[in-house]
Amino acid sequence: MATTFKNFLSNDLANTRTLLHEAIPITGSIISGTYGGSGVAIGSETNIKTYGHGMFESVYDYPYLSSSANQIFDVTVGYSSTSPVSASGNTQNAKKINIYNQMAQYLVGYDITGSIKNFKMPTDNVEMKECYFVPFSRLLTKDEIKKGSFALELSVSGSQTFTQGGAAQYFVDRVKLTDTSGSNGYYVDSPAGEYGVLFGSTSAGATPLLLNETLGTAATNPAVGLLYYQAGVAVLSASIFNSSSLGGLIGTPAGDTAPANPHIANVGDVTTLGFTLNVTGATIAQMADGLRNRIYNISYNNTTELNSTIYFCRVGHGDFNYSSNPTYLSASQIRVKTRAADTPVTYFTTVGLYSADNELLAVAKLSEPLRKDPTNEITLRVRLDY
Amino acid sequence: MGFLDNSGDIILDAVLTDTGRMRLARGDGSFKIVKFALGDDEINYELYNKNHSSGSAYYDLEVLQTPVLEAFTDNAASMKSKLISIPRNNILYLPVLKLNEVFAGTDTATHSTGYFLVAVNTATEDELITDSSGASITGILTGESPGRSGSRIRVDQGLDTNAISPGRTLDPLLVETQYLIEIDNRLGHIVSKADATPASISFVDDDNIASYYLSRGTDREYVSEISDTTASTLQVIKGPRGTKLNFKIQSSLELNTSDYLFDTIGTTGNITGKNGATSHKQIKSTVRVIGVNTGYRLDIPINFVKKV
């Protein structure tokens, strides 16, 4: 009997898992410069969305009122209620504590008494009680950030006043935060998946910018934050924006005047420098603006996990040598034949995958027609990704 | 959909159809791929030039240059013509499906507009079943009361060629034993010719297309052999004949009781009936008949009409 289907056998199916990676470069000008500039107040850039509750701000790749805009990451800041900077008189004190606790309960979890644990650097077990939080959107991160691929370059120039987008000298002194050990040195004791340590190193500047750092020696690069790969959240310690005199990691860059605390928020006078001194009087949005305008660039690779089923469509020499295409016949005679003894020939462009009740569930198209006749056999490998 | 890049290696662009996604979302295990078929929708075999002056290597040159569109996700838009497996290579003629409009005069012929008109309620049936002189109008299917008239749709299968006598028996390999009828389930249903018994729907897809599988063995009221082996004027298949399919269409309850679909996807125009040309709401559609084994398909134009 003639037939138009061929059943799959048990060895015609295979399941695979593939990890796809995309490079995600985020240039600092999008974050702070492109939509800012003279006449635009900091925090009023058209690609920066702020909220009435003031708990965080969102960075878009385009003016966020446009339907073309994509949210790329958010910025917020918080500190533990046990932090030395926590005080009831601080601006948005409760909200900063709430943010810290929310991120901590999600990313660090609870101790055996059910209390929220603080962020802790696994390399030296020192708690990070004041932090910036940068959650990246799933649009960019996909299933996870690829371990060992993350880099965030920051300006830590100390003597420069806070400016939008950064004047030329603003980015003279820079450090790069990377998860260099991520591919083989990550941690798994977080309820939000795997995480790695962000290490800081001087990326621009004549002398080492970080305390006890030796240029080119990775072992001297201090731990400055955590990166949660599946959650897509970077947690930056306040120490990267404090001088050693404030308990931070910034030394005294050559050419800058002491103290070498970066001016991180658009509040106070220029003598009020460093994260610790700014965070008490600045709002979360102002602190977020400060970090944004300190970012030189961000790059990482994302990961998409593809689970695939491969169907091997084995077309034997005796299969599919005739067609039901209306043009195949002329007055019922097969057009590609002159005599009955001629070899039947068909050309196919499509593979249809069917259920038992003949419903077309998936379809695959070839980029060019393939010839089928009784002298050849073809195996088509159709992969469906989930 | 764009064309696929065919400048380099052959690539395969695979997607789930809308029905596939619907079944996957259903989560009841109905998404299970168990078989495959090959299609050649883009191929025009008229481009195969058996008389090419440069020799046989050039016969299919133009066929192989055919650009191929990306995969459609609409399950109804792909795999319209399938390749067929037949365990013999020396076949020169393949069977086709043809609408038989001559077998029973006005009962099997299409309307003068080229469509079968399905009168969706009694008032429309009364208006269109005969003309002003009382003569029967061809191609009118009584949609509310399918048993009211003998009008039906008949499809014949066989080798439509004068090269082989109709007295010869059609190769059993080529006899169609099962037909698939696809119809928009919002508009109508398939019923039997004899007593207007509704056929069983196999499934309705996400686009409201209902599929009816009718087999020679189990659905004798629909599928049967063509016993006439003569060169009769009542037959449309010129050569050896296989099976025939007879069915009627019952209009859906929605068309019968509501104008919503007529106003949404239909038009209004005059149709001549008992009272001359009168205004009717109309929805033009297609009923598709496919030979399940031989793959050949036939699209039958249907016009669902309702007297205004």
Side-chain angles (χ1 to χ4, degrees):
Chain A
M1 183 185 292
T3 179
T4 53
F5 296 107
K6 186 168 186 182
N7 289 330
F8 286 113
L9 303 176
S10 58
N11 65 342
D12 291 336
L13 266 67
N15 294 301
T16 63
R17 178 174 168 269
T18 313
L19 297 180
L20 295 181
H21 302 292
E22 296 171 300
I24 307 294
I26 305 172
T27 178
S29 61
I30 289 179
I31 303 167
S32 59
T34 301
Y35 300 100
S38 60
V40 180
I42 292 173
S44 299
E45 299 96 325
T46 51
N47 69 321
I48 305 301
K49 187 175 183 180
T50 55
Y51 302 86
H53 52 65
M55 300 283 275
F56 65 94
E57 70 178 26
S58 301
V59 180
Y60 286 73
D61 61 355
Y62 198 66
Y64 67 84
L65 290 176
S66 165
S67 59
S68 306
N70 298 300
Q71 183 184 3
I72 52 178
F73 64 86
D74 304 308
V75 185
T76 187
V77 69
Y79 47 67
S80 165
S81 58
T82 60
S83 165
V85 300
S86 175
S88 59
N90 289 354
T91 303
Q92 289 188 318
N93 184 59
K95 288 189 174 181
K96 288 168 186 168
I97 293 172
N98 289 347
I99 285 286
Y100 184 92
N101 286 338
Q102 181 201 339
M103 300 305 285
Q105 74 181 101
Y106 193 81
L107 299 173
V108 188
Y110 306 89
D111 62 18
I112 54 173
T113 67
S115 302
I116 299 170
K117 292 195 286 188
N118 282 350
F119 286 95
K120 187 183 286 185
M121 198 63 75
T123 49
D124 56 11
N125 279 328
V126 172
E127 287 190 339
M128 295 190 298
K129 294 185 177 178
E130 306 89 27
C131 302
Y132 269 117
F133 302 101
V134 185
F136 292 93
S137 79
R138 198 181 62 189
L139 178 72
L140 302 186
T141 305
K142 301 290 175 66
D143 290 336
E144 65 177 276
I145 294 170
K146 184 185 177 188
K147 298 178 184 74
S149 70
F150 186 85
L152 168 62
E153 197 166 3
L154 291 170
S155 154
V156 292
S157 295
S159 62
Q160 306 304 323
T161 56
F162 186 87
T163 57
Q164 182 164 258
Q169 69 275 24
Y170 193 66
F171 285 105
V172 169
D173 298 322
R174 299 196 302 272
V175 295
K176 183 182 275 187
L177 281 48
T178 58
D179 66 328
T180 48
S181 67
S183 56
N184 58 6
Y186 58 89
Y187 301 88
V188 295
D189 59 337
S190 163
E194 298 151 350
Y195 67 101
V197 175
L198 292 173
F199 293 94
S201 62
T202 301
S203 58
T207 57
L209 299 169
L210 299 172
L211 208 59
N212 302 324
E213 181 192 12
T214 303
L215 287 181
T217 306
T220 63
N221 294 337
V224 296
L226 302 173
L227 181 65
Y228 291 83
Y229 295 112
Q230 285 82 27
V233 179
V235 180
L236 307 183
S237 167
S239 59
I240 195 64
F241 295 114
N242 283 331
S243 72
S244 55
S245 62
L246 291 174
L249 292 167
I250 305 296
T252 305
D256 277 349
T257 55
N261 282 306
H263 192 189
I264 196 64
N266 188 31
V267 290
D269 58 50
V270 294
T271 60
T272 307
L273 303 170
F275 180 98
T276 299
L277 297 176
N278 276 276
V279 75
T280 55
T283 63
I284 291 174
Q286 286 171 323
M287 293 296 288
D289 289 338
L291 177 64
R292 266 198 310 113
N293 286 278
R294 286 281 178 182
I295 293 176
Y296 190 67
N297 59 35
I298 302 172
S299 66
Y300 62 89
N301 285 4
N302 68 18
T303 302
T304 305
E305 185 178 313
L306 282 183
N307 290 293
S308 308
T309 303
I310 298 170
Y311 296 89
F312 292 94
C313 303
R314 304 185 203 279
V315 184
H317 63 87
D319 299 332
F320 302 115
N321 293 320
Y322 296 92
S323 173
S324 62
N325 188 316
T327 66
Y328 192 65
L329 302 178
S330 173
S332 271
Q333 185 182 334
I334 297 171
R335 202 180 286 272
V336 298
K337 282 183 154 197
T338 305
R339 301 171 297 124
D342 289 345
T343 299
V345 178
T346 56
Y347 301 86
F348 62 93
T349 60
T350 314
V351 183
L353 304 181
Y354 286 84
S355 64
D357 54 0
N358 297 341
E359 269 278 56
L360 181 63
L361 301 182
V363 64
K365 297 297 289 271
L366 291 150
S367 57
E368 58 188 71
L370 274 185
R371 177 187 166 112
K372 179 71 189 72
D373 63 49
T375 66
N376 64 0
E377 294 197 334
I378 298 169
T379 298
L380 296 155
R381 186 176 167 276
V382 180
R383 194 182 81 184
L384 290 180
D385 297 329
Y386 301 96
Chain B
M1 299 293 158
F3 287 123
L4 291 167
D5 182 355
N6 58 4
S7 61
D9 293 338
I10 296 175
I11 59 168
L12 205 56
D13 168 42
V15 294
L16 291 178
T17 63
D18 45 7
T19 296
R21 292 199 302 269
M22 184 184 77
R23 289 196 176 199
L24 202 56
R26 215 187 277 160
D28 59 359
S30 60
F31 181 86
K32 187 170 187 196
I33 292 170
V34 299
K35 54 188 165 184
F36 73 97
L38 302 181
D40 59 356
D41 295 352
E42 286 98 342
I43 302 299
N44 180 1
Y45 287 93
E46 292 174 7
L47 299 176
Y48 190 89
N49 184 1
K50 288 181 291 189
N51 303 312
H52 199 288
S53 57
S54 299
S56 57
Y58 293 83
Y59 288 180
D60 59 5
L61 190 64
E62 287 190 70
V63 173
L64 290 172
Q65 288 174 343
T66 303
V68 180
L69 289 163
E70 290 175 300
F72 291 99
T73 55
D74 183 358
N75 64 309
S78 296
M79 300 295 294
K80 290 195 285 288
S81 63
K82 299 190 185 80
L83 300 194
I84 312 167
S85 297
I86 301 174
R88 264 178 48 199
N89 293 330
N90 60 347
I91 290 173
L92 186 59
Y93 295 93
L94 285 177
V96 297
L97 302 180
K98 284 189 85 171
L99 194 62
N100 188 336
E101 296 189 63
V102 296
F103 182 76
T106 57
D107 280 351
T108 54
T110 55
H111 187 256
S112 58
T113 56
Y115 290 81
F116 283 101
L117 304 191
V118 180
V120 302
N121 59 12
T122 304
T124 313
E125 290 175 359
D126 292 343
E127 175 64 30
L128 296 180
I129 208 163
T130 56
D131 62 15
S132 56
S133 67
S136 293
I137 300 176
T138 61
I140 305 297
L141 301 176
T142 47
E144 177 163 359
S145 314
R148 182 176 175 183
S149 75
S151 294
R152 62 186 184 272
I153 297 171
R154 171 171 163 156
V155 175
D156 288 3
Q157 186 247 352
L159 305 183
D160 189 30
T161 175
N162 289 319
I164 307 174
S165 162
R168 301 290 297 267
T169 303
L170 182 62
D171 188 328
L173 286 173
L174 305 179
V175 175
E176 187 55 74
T177 58
Q178 190 178 35
Y179 291 90
L180 164 62
I181 304 177
E182 294 177 344
I183 183 173
D184 191 325
N185 200 45
R186 298 170 300 176
L187 307 180
H189 315 294
I190 303 301
V191 298
S192 66
K193 173 191 75 170
D195 55 5
T197 305
S200 298
I201 298 176
S202 295
F203 54 84
V204 180
D205 75 6
D206 60 301
D207 301 312
N208 282 311
I209 302 299
S211 295
Y212 296 79
Y213 280 90
L214 302 167
S215 302
R216 183 176 59 177
T218 55
D219 303 294
R220 298 288 303 180
E221 65 273 35
Y222 296 94
V223 184
S224 57
E225 294 80 9
I226 302 175
S227 54
D228 186 347
T229 56
T230 66
S232 165
T233 55
L234 301 180
Q235 299 295 330
V236 291
I237 298 291
K238 301 187 189 83
R241 293 160 194 146
T243 55
K244 61 179 184 282
L245 172 71
N246 279 288
F247 63 95
K248 293 182 174 181
I249 296 173
Q250 182 175 44
S251 59
S252 69
L253 190 62
E254 183 169 6
L255 290 192
N256 181 265
T257 57
S258 159
D259 287 347
Y260 174 75
L261 282 174
F262 283 105
D263 295 337
T264 307
I265 57 175
T267 57
T268 302
N270 286 342
I271 298 174
T272 302
K274 188 170 66 179
N275 297 309
T278 53
S279 181
H280 286 76
K281 292 178 184 284
Q282 306 175 33
I283 299 174
K284 292 185 170 68
S285 181
T286 299
V287 169
R288 181 166 294 154
V289 176
I290 304 166
V292 173
N293 300 314
T294 56
Y296 204 87
R297 71 168 50 197
L298 182 66
D299 287 346
I300 302 169
I302 304 291
N303 192 0
F304 293 87
V305 297
K306 189 174 196 178
K307 187 180 178 187
V308 174

